[in-house]
Amino acid sequence: MTMLAAMCVNLSAAELPVGRPPLPAEIAAWDIDARPDGQGLPRGQGSVKQGETLYLERCAACHGEFGEGAGRWPELAGGVGTLAHERPFKTVGSYWPHATTAFDYIRRAMPFGQAQSLQSDEIYALVAFILNLNDIVKDDFVASQANLPTIKMPNAAGFYDDDRETAERGFWVATPCMTDCKPPARITGHASAVDVTPDSKTAPKME
Amino acid sequence: MSNSSPPDRHRLGRRALVAAAATTFAMPATAATPDPAITTLPDWSQSLGDGVQAHPYGVPSPFEKHVIRRDVEWLTAGQQSSVNFTPIHALDGTITPNGLCFERHHSGVAAVDPDQHRLMIHGMVAKPVVLTMQDLKRLPRSNRIYFLECAANSGMEWRGAQLNGAQFTHGMIHNVQYTGVSLRSVFEALGIDPRAKWVMAEGADAAGLNRSIPLAKAMDDCMLAFAMNGEALRPEQGYPLRLVVPGWQGNMWVKWLRRLKIGDAPWETREETSKYTDLLADGRARRSTFVMDAKSVITSPSPQTAASPKGQMVISGIAWSGRGSVTRVDVSLDGGRNWQAARIDGPVQSLALVRFYADIDWNGQEMLLQSRAQDSTGYLQPSKNDLRKIRGVNSIYHNNGIQTWLLRGDGICENVEVS
């Protein structure tokens, strides 16, 4: 017995020496994620109309009646075609690549401060309404487990994997330049001119 | 990685270079009248001070009360989904004190009872498991020092110099020693399905924050950490359990970690699609830009530090890279035209922050101070202008461009942009 206690534990050799298997009810209680291929989406459905009622009650105070955002809270609608503009407007409609992501996010995090208080049908209805605000689905649309993964989002093709190691290969340098690396530096801007540092007397107060 | 500093010969070479770049040291001033700080006995030298239990958990000297995390009120809609900044301008060495590590929450700080906390690991795994904190503390553990940088650190500076302080421009970083269990050691005992490629990590906070992490990274160097700098994690850093994802963007280091689900594809969560993707000038966005590029900043002098006197001056700063260790840091006094090697002092470890110094003799003329880091892969921190040529100004994330401080004749620094 003493010898056993003194032996080193090699985890990779066998079972994890601690913990227990989760019960199906425990997995079900926590398994709230949903993927773009539909894995994880629960049974249920909700219409644009149902979503509108719920949205005005539970969401509009922060996100605005038309998804335009209140104060600094996130806007949800509009902005399609602005991503290459000087001031892009990123919303569910203009930027998000998958409708399922809205389901996953609302289910776990919304309403802000009342997380995981919505039923599956309510979440489907809210997603349907937000898609409708963005003109992605018609007024009579009913979102469901079956159709959410098939929704074509306007910016679905707008993303590509990290390519820094090729697109930015010029940043890998064998011998850094030490002398006369560029013409004499000129100052082109001062933070003090923008004047938004917290200590500044004139910093803008946002609502 | 080794704890040791670079070879002595190398270090002496750098030191000599810096010394050569500096002019002769100024002569010390002489006193005309006796210094009352010497000739008058202060109260603390006569009467008794606090007893041993005045502060059961110690706090800094009241004279250091300005060294605190600060936020930028106009940046976010509210305090619960917000960020504050490490006061890097007032710190030295390499380890960030726990109470000064910047905070970023999406639904406030979860007040988790450790006895009620569970970690569930399930999905494409032969033996799913539920672990208590006590279970985790019975597994073999290790200690590792890593930096954590928010991908949005310096994100307000893409269009030009905006915030006048290193705390605000570069303060979404900290560097602490984590104690915890290697994720690989746990996963290997659970029988991961060979078709599995991704792990979703999820927090127990009211945001249920979730991120997809490549299984290869999880099996490389990720940790289930329960302590930082020798004590339990702070609530705002994920007490009682945080995922450590070395060298990668801070958002992936899921706090209050309650669940790891193994799968064959990424989840494309809100945090990895609508956020933490890098919008480029052509309107397309890079995704999965997990690694933090090499970066450095001079922390002192900087806009929040006291006026620097002429003469002998310590230029001090920090550097880090998500690709390996920092192998060199250079300092420029003229806005990037000429450079001199800085001296790295303290531990140099992979995926951990280093401290650098350049000791100069300042003649009181304006200087444009910059620092530039290079890492063990050869990546050299680019200028902001070179970065903008590729990444535009709407990327928000991954601004690792070279920072410029104008040191004015009055010894005060300003955040400026240079050509």
Side-chain angles (χ1 to χ4, degrees):
Chain A
M1 267 195 47
T2 343
M3 273 190 64
L4 262 181
M7 277 169 64
C8 282
V9 179
N10 183 355
L11 290 186
S12 60
E15 308 267 315
L16 202 62
V18 296
R20 62 165 177 85
L23 299 173
E26 291 173 329
I27 293 178
W30 276 11
D31 198 14
I32 57 170
D33 55 273
R35 293 197 323 200
D37 60 4
Q39 190 194 91
L41 282 175
R43 274 182 222 283
Q45 61 174 44
S47 69
V48 170
K49 193 86 199 131
Q50 291 165 326
E52 179 173 20
T53 309
L54 198 57
Y55 178 89
L56 292 174
E57 282 170 21
R58 309 280 308 261
C59 318
C62 291
H63 294 295
E65 267 185 59
F66 305 98
E68 75 279 17
R72 296 276 293 164
W73 298 106
E75 50 279 322
L76 303 179
V80 171
T82 67
L83 296 180
H85 290 190
E86 197 194 331
R87 298 280 174 178
F89 191 57
K90 294 194 280 186
T91 72
V92 175
S94 71
Y95 196 59
W96 292 39
H98 310 288
T100 53
T101 303
F103 189 98
D104 177 88
Y105 182 66
I106 294 169
R107 193 184 195 189
R108 67 181 56 253
M110 290 291 118
F112 191 58
Q114 295 165 294
Q116 301 192 53
S117 63
L118 296 167
Q119 302 303 308
S120 296
D121 287 351
E122 295 177 311
I123 304 167
Y124 280 114
L126 286 171
V127 175
F129 179 68
I130 293 164
L131 293 174
N132 180 254
L133 275 179
N134 282 287
D135 299 322
I136 294 166
V137 299
K138 297 205 168 76
D139 294 349
D140 60 358
F141 178 72
V142 179
S144 69
Q145 182 185 24
N147 66 19
L148 218 50
T150 68
I151 301 291
K152 256 293 195 215
M153 298 294 278
N155 193 43
F159 297 85
Y160 59 99
D161 284 336
D162 185 2
D163 66 345
R164 283 175 291 175
E165 291 188 6
T166 49
E168 301 182 356
R169 62 185 175 278
F171 295 157
W172 275 264
V173 172
T175 316
C177 174
M178 298 301 283
T179 13
D180 294 332
C181 302
K182 67 179 197 185
R186 275 181 306 107
I187 294 175
T188 56
H190 289 258
S192 54
V194 185
D195 210 12
V196 290
T197 309
D199 288 329
S200 161
K201 299 272 187 294
T202 55
K205 266 276 196 249
M206 308 299 282
E207 57 272 64
Chain B
M1 286 307 293
S2 154
N3 265 322
S4 61
S5 298
D8 278 344
R9 195 159 51 87
H10 198 46
R11 293 187 62 190
L12 282 172
R14 284 187 189 173
R15 206 171 281 173
L17 253 176
V18 174
T23 52
T24 44
F25 292 147
M27 290 299 289
T30 51
T33 53
D35 181 356
I38 296 169
T39 56
T40 315
L41 206 53
D43 183 54
W44 58 78
S45 297
Q46 290 197 290
S47 46
L48 300 177
D50 282 342
V52 288
Q53 278 292 92
H55 301 287
Y57 194 108
V59 293
S61 159
F63 296 98
E64 299 297 319
K65 64 173 191 268
H66 58 288
V67 183
I68 51 171
R69 298 182 287 217
R70 310 246 339 243
D71 66 343
V72 177
E73 210 181 323
W74 52 264
L75 202 59
T76 52
Q79 290 278 303
Q80 283 77 28
S81 182
S82 194
V83 63
N84 63 17
F85 301 87
T86 306
I88 53 172
H89 65 289
L91 301 179
D92 214 316
T94 58
I95 296 294
T96 315
N98 285 342
L100 295 177
C101 291
F102 81 94
E103 302 170 77
R104 170 76 172 109
H105 316 305
H106 294 75
S107 290
V109 179
V112 178
D113 174 350
D115 292 339
Q116 301 304 315
H117 191 71
R118 304 287 182 269
L119 174 66
M120 184 186 292
I121 306 175
H122 71 121
M124 295 176 72
V125 55
K127 293 171 280 186
V129 71
V130 171
L131 297 162
T132 63
M133 288 309 297
Q134 189 190 43
D135 291 335
L136 285 163
K137 290 178 180 177
R138 292 167 64 198
L139 295 173
R141 65 183 75 156
S142 51
N143 297 298
R144 297 282 186 275
I145 297 172
Y146 295 118
F147 78 84
L148 180 160
E149 184 186 19
C150 176
N153 199 19
S154 314
M156 288 87 79
E157 303 287 306
W158 274 110
R159 288 172 184 276
Q162 176 157 286
L163 288 163
N164 221 0
Q167 178 170 20
F168 304 114
T169 58
H170 289 75
M172 284 196 267
I173 178 130
H174 55 67
N175 189 66
V176 310
Q177 184 188 56
Y178 295 94
T179 305
V181 176
S182 132
L183 189 53
R184 180 194 185 109
S185 70
V186 174
F187 276 5
E188 281 182 339
L190 298 182
I192 305 278
D193 188 315
R195 292 164 301 171
K197 288 193 171 61
W198 292 83
V199 182
M200 188 209 68
E202 178 185 84
D205 59 328
L209 191 140
N210 59 335
R211 283 296 303 257
S212 308
I213 294 153
L215 182 61
K217 178 66 174 176
M219 297 300 275
D220 179 16
D221 57 3
C222 289
M223 280 173 84
L224 302 166
F226 46 78
M228 58 193 289
N229 291 336
E231 63 177 356
L233 293 173
R234 292 291 172 91
E236 65 270 29
Q237 304 299 339
Y239 178 87
L241 189 66
R242 164 173 235 175
L243 186 65
V244 168
V245 190
W248 288 20
Q249 54 182 237
N251 184 257
M252 305 178 83
W253 300 46
V254 174
K255 299 188 282 190
W256 314 291
L257 182 71
R258 75 163 194 177
R259 191 160 71 104
L260 293 167
K261 186 175 182 179
I262 321 295
D264 58 0
W267 273 255
E268 309 259 4
T269 72
R270 184 247 194 190
E271 300 293 328
E272 59 207 32
T273 54
S274 79
K275 306 289 175 188
Y276 302 96
T277 49
D278 316 333
L279 184 60
L280 304 189
D282 68 358
R284 296 189 307 148
R286 284 180 180 151
R287 68 178 164 211
S288 308
T289 48
F290 305 136
V291 178
M292 299 309 296
D293 294 312
K295 187 168 173 178
S296 69
V297 65
I298 292 171
T299 51
S300 176
S302 67
Q304 294 161 291
T305 58
S308 298
K310 284 181 206 174
Q312 181 68 12
M313 177 191 291
V314 174
I315 294 175
S316 173
I318 51 178
W320 60 93
S321 170
R323 290 196 174 82
S325 57
V326 172
T327 49
R328 68 178 293 148
V329 181
D330 302 314
V331 165
S332 173
L333 310 178
D334 60 4
R337 184 168 158 84
N338 296 289
W339 297 89
Q340 59 190 61
R343 171 172 61 90
I344 294 173
D345 197 283
V348 176
Q349 296 179 34
S350 188
L351 313 180
L353 180 148
V354 301
R355 172 65 55 178
F356 68 85
Y357 298 106
D359 303 296
I360 66 159
D361 183 10
W362 180 44
N363 64 7
Q365 298 223 303
E366 280 193 355
M367 295 197 295
L368 291 167
L369 302 177
Q370 294 187 342
S371 65
R372 177 181 77 177
Q374 187 168 37
D375 71 19
S376 48
T377 71
Y379 182 97
L380 185 68
Q381 184 183 2
S383 72
K384 288 186 178 179
N385 290 331
D386 285 345
L387 208 55
R388 288 184 187 116
K389 278 178 204 156
I390 299 175
R391 300 186 186 172
V393 294
N394 285 323
S395 146
I396 299 176
Y397 307 104
H398 293 288
N399 184 352
N400 66 314
I402 291 171
Q403 174 64 44
T404 310
W405 305 128
L406 164 66
L407 179 63
R408 304 188 314 222
D410 61 1
I412 299 287
C413 276
E414 266 191 62
N415 177 10
V416 296
E417 283 282 329
V418 294
S419 58

